[in-house]
Amino acid sequence: MKKFFFTCFIAFALYFIMVSPQAKAADYPVIQSGQKIEGTLGDDDRVLYQINVKKPSYLEIKPTSYSSDLYFSLLNEEQDEIDYIYGDFGDAASTTPVTRTMGEYLEPGIYYIEAYSRGYDNEHFKYHFTATVKDSETSEVEPNNGSELAMTIKPTQKPVTAQISWNDSTDFYKVTLDKPGKLSVKVTAYMQYMNLQIYDANLEEIADWDDYYGGSKLTSKVKQSDYYLEKGTYYIEASKTYSDYTGKYKIETKFSKTSNNEKEPNNGIEQAQKLTPNVQSVTGLISWSDPSDFYKVVVSKTGVLNVHMTVYQSMNLEVYNRDGDTLLDRWIYKSSNTSSDKWSTSLNVKKGTYYVQVFGNTGLYKLNVKVPEMLPKSPKAKATKTKVTGTTYANSKITAKIGSKKYTGKSNSKGAFSIKIPTQKVKTKVYVSVTTDAGTSKSTKVQVK
């Protein structure tokens, strides 16, 4: 009995080996790219041809059939169907053959082209075809199918040529910024649909070009977007949108450092950066990971608080008092036909501490505040042909302006100053101002005597 079961087992194993398509893979004829293959099938017949793809490529198959009931399929190494031509030879006949084309972007590997018939009445199925492997000439580094395998690119990266294929649906790229700035991402797609997403180091999504579409194999679709980002590591993911859409694309980046001089962190009232009225002007950056900036303004005299901004995109600005009450809430709109817009507003304030918050769209802005009542008083001055003298605040910078020329000096510990000037004509106008920690005064106008 044991001998009987052993014999049955051996027979079953031999049968499996003989009929298994995978086992007989070595028996399938291997064809070359561009080679013309001819054949004839009988009723319900089937034949496979092996073709090897050595580089990321586009495999184009162009079959010609002399029968309406002939079918072609492209299979992977496990003989799962990738693409097919079913019922597309409807008008084919022995004297009027029909040619069709199918193709797919593929990664290196072994593939099969299957021809099979679904005919009756002892019909014979004549056909011929060519299969052409076209190198995609990619420059991406595989594998790069996840963040841990991401291909490293430079912040300013020349175009990388890549492909989304039937068996490689996702590509990741890693870019590291050593300073805050603007990262421009440009994609040239030669496919109808694709997705592109941008993530931070924790894989939180920053942007999603959902269903980015419009390209084709021969006509590209270009899209570019800019992202203001902080220093750090970021990932770009290019992926397949729908299972049927594959193709080539090029991706490139350009990075420009921003000129912001704000002091981070300044993301709330407790962290607010001090902004001295009449003296300081700050260039700030609203980015994806830093969406809000706060500034602390100390007003030493009751007066008018003037807020001035230059915006390069529309933004929000709010002003609060020390208790957190909102005194001003304004949406600052940038018109589309200018590179930047200047905006100003004013409000009456009492002596005290105030906070300015900037938030909204990402990008650069410039901000300064002025309280005229806090400016130093104009100096007392007089001018001769060769010097300007007078009194003002002690140990302060003095500026004498004659025409477009400026001459500077410093007051002594008692506030007195004397500035030498080139010999001037009588009645020449001289404008004299003083600069202290509270700002620069209005000018005193004097004439040379």
Side-chain angles (χ1 to χ4, degrees):
M1 182 62 71
K2 290 183 179 179
K3 183 176 181 181
F4 171 76
F5 282 115
F6 178 75
T7 302
C8 290
F9 173 77
I10 295 298
F12 176 78
L14 289 173
Y15 173 79
F16 179 80
I17 293 173
M18 292 175 64
V19 301
S20 169
Q22 284 80 8
K24 294 182 65 178
D27 295 335
Y28 299 138
V30 178
I31 63 175
Q32 303 301 316
S33 175
Q35 179 182 354
K36 183 177 181 180
I37 304 298
E38 298 180 304
T40 302
L41 297 176
D43 292 348
D44 294 321
D45 202 358
R46 173 178 183 260
V47 63
L48 268 70
Y49 301 89
Q50 178 181 326
I51 187 164
N52 299 325
V53 175
K54 298 180 179 180
K55 296 180 179 180
S57 302
Y58 181 77
L59 176 59
E60 182 181 77
I61 304 168
K62 188 174 290 188
T64 298
S65 175
Y66 293 80
S67 170
S68 61
D69 292 321
L70 192 65
Y71 304 85
F72 277 83
S73 293
L74 172 63
L75 312 176
N76 66 6
E77 189 172 4
E78 289 73 34
Q79 297 188 17
D80 298 319
E81 190 173 71
I82 299 173
D83 199 1
Y84 58 84
I85 296 177
Y86 291 166
D88 287 353
F89 299 111
D91 298 328
S94 59
T95 57
T96 55
V98 172
T99 299
R100 295 287 184 260
T101 301
M102 67 176 176
E104 187 57 84
Y105 286 90
L106 301 170
E107 299 304 306
I110 296 173
Y111 299 90
Y112 299 99
I113 299 168
E114 178 187 34
Y116 58 100
S117 60
R118 290 289 185 268
Y120 306 95
D121 300 327
N122 296 315
E123 184 179 0
H124 293 283
F125 302 89
K126 182 181 177 182
Y127 65 88
H128 63 80
F129 73 88
T130 56
T132 305
V133 179
K134 300 179 180 180
D135 186 355
S136 294
E137 299 181 344
T138 59
S139 57
E140 64 172 320
V141 178
E142 290 282 5
N144 63 340
N145 305 327
S147 58
E148 293 187 357
L149 299 172
M151 174 182 172
T152 299
I153 60 175
K154 298 176 181 179
T156 297
Q157 175 68 51
K158 293 182 179 180
V160 174
T161 301
Q163 72 173 24
I164 299 295
S165 66
W166 176 83
N167 44 351
D168 183 12
S169 61
T170 303
D171 294 327
F172 270 82
Y173 302 90
K174 177 181 179 181
V175 57
T176 300
L177 309 181
D178 61 358
K179 289 186 178 181
K182 181 176 72 173
L183 180 68
S184 300
V185 180
K186 180 180 178 181
V187 173
T188 305
Y190 296 86
M191 66 184 85
Q192 189 168 355
Y193 290 95
M194 71 175 291
N195 265 351
L196 190 131
Q197 293 165 291
I198 301 175
Y199 306 95
D200 66 8
N202 298 318
L203 295 183
E204 291 188 25
E205 186 177 273
I206 297 174
D208 182 2
W209 299 4
D210 187 28
D211 295 353
Y212 164 48
Y213 64 94
S216 66
K217 186 180 177 183
L218 299 178
T219 304
S220 64
K221 172 72 173 182
V222 179
K223 181 174 180 177
Q224 177 174 322
S225 289
D226 300 332
Y227 304 96
Y228 287 92
L229 302 171
E230 299 298 314
K231 174 183 176 181
T233 297
Y234 299 88
Y235 295 95
I236 303 171
E237 177 189 8
S239 62
K240 188 186 298 184
T241 304
Y242 301 108
S243 59
D244 291 335
Y245 293 100
T246 58
K248 291 175 60 175
Y249 67 91
K250 294 179 180 179
I251 184 169
E252 57 187 293
T253 57
K254 183 179 180 180
F255 179 70
S256 54
K257 298 175 183 177
T258 49
S259 57
N260 53 306
N261 57 9
E262 58 178 317
K263 295 180 181 179
E264 291 287 358
N266 63 341
N267 305 323
I269 286 179
E270 297 297 325
Q271 298 177 329
Q273 175 183 341
K274 186 176 180 181
L275 186 61
T276 304
N278 308 320
V279 175
Q280 283 180 281
S281 178
V282 65
T283 300
L285 173 66
I286 299 299
S287 66
W288 177 83
S289 56
D290 183 16
S292 182
D293 292 332
F294 279 80
Y295 298 93
K296 180 179 179 180
V297 179
V298 177
V299 177
S300 60
K301 293 182 179 180
T302 297
V304 178
L305 176 64
N306 297 286
V307 182
H308 305 278
M309 280 194 73
T310 300
V311 295
Y312 302 87
Q313 55 285 310
S314 300
M315 286 188 170
N316 283 91
L317 182 138
E318 293 189 9
V319 178
Y320 310 95
N321 62 18
R322 191 182 189 95
D323 297 324
D325 300 322
T326 301
L327 305 180
L328 177 70
D329 184 353
R330 192 66 56 86
W331 170 252
I332 305 171
Y333 174 76
K334 190 197 82 67
S335 58
S336 59
N337 60 350
T338 58
S339 60
S340 65
D341 280 347
K342 293 184 177 181
W343 173 89
S344 298
T345 193
S346 61
L347 62 158
N348 295 323
V349 292
K350 296 180 180 180
K351 178 181 177 180
T353 300
Y354 299 87
Y355 297 93
V356 179
Q357 180 188 11
V358 181
F359 59 101
N361 294 324
T362 60
L364 287 170
Y365 64 88
K366 293 181 179 180
L367 171 69
N368 70 78
V369 294
K370 295 181 179 180
V371 180
E373 292 77 9
M374 292 175 58
L375 289 172
K377 293 181 180 180
S378 301
K380 295 179 180 180
K382 60 183 179 179
T384 66
K385 292 182 179 180
T386 58
K387 65 181 177 179
V388 177
T389 59
T391 58
T392 185
Y393 300 94
N395 303 314
S396 298
K397 178 183 176 181
I398 312 300
T399 301
K401 183 179 178 183
I402 304 173
S404 60
K405 299 291 184 67
K406 292 182 179 181
Y407 306 92
T408 60
K410 188 175 181 180
S411 61
N412 61 24
S413 60
K414 294 182 179 181
F417 63 87
S418 178
I419 301 174
K420 291 181 179 181
I421 58 174
T423 303
Q424 303 293 319
K425 295 180 180 180
V426 174
K427 294 187 178 182
T428 298
K429 295 177 181 179
V430 182
Y431 297 87
V432 186
S433 61
V434 59
T435 300
T436 69
D437 292 341
T440 299
S441 70
K442 292 182 179 180
S443 295
T444 297
K445 183 174 74 171
V446 296
Q447 288 186 337
V448 173
K449 293 184 179 180

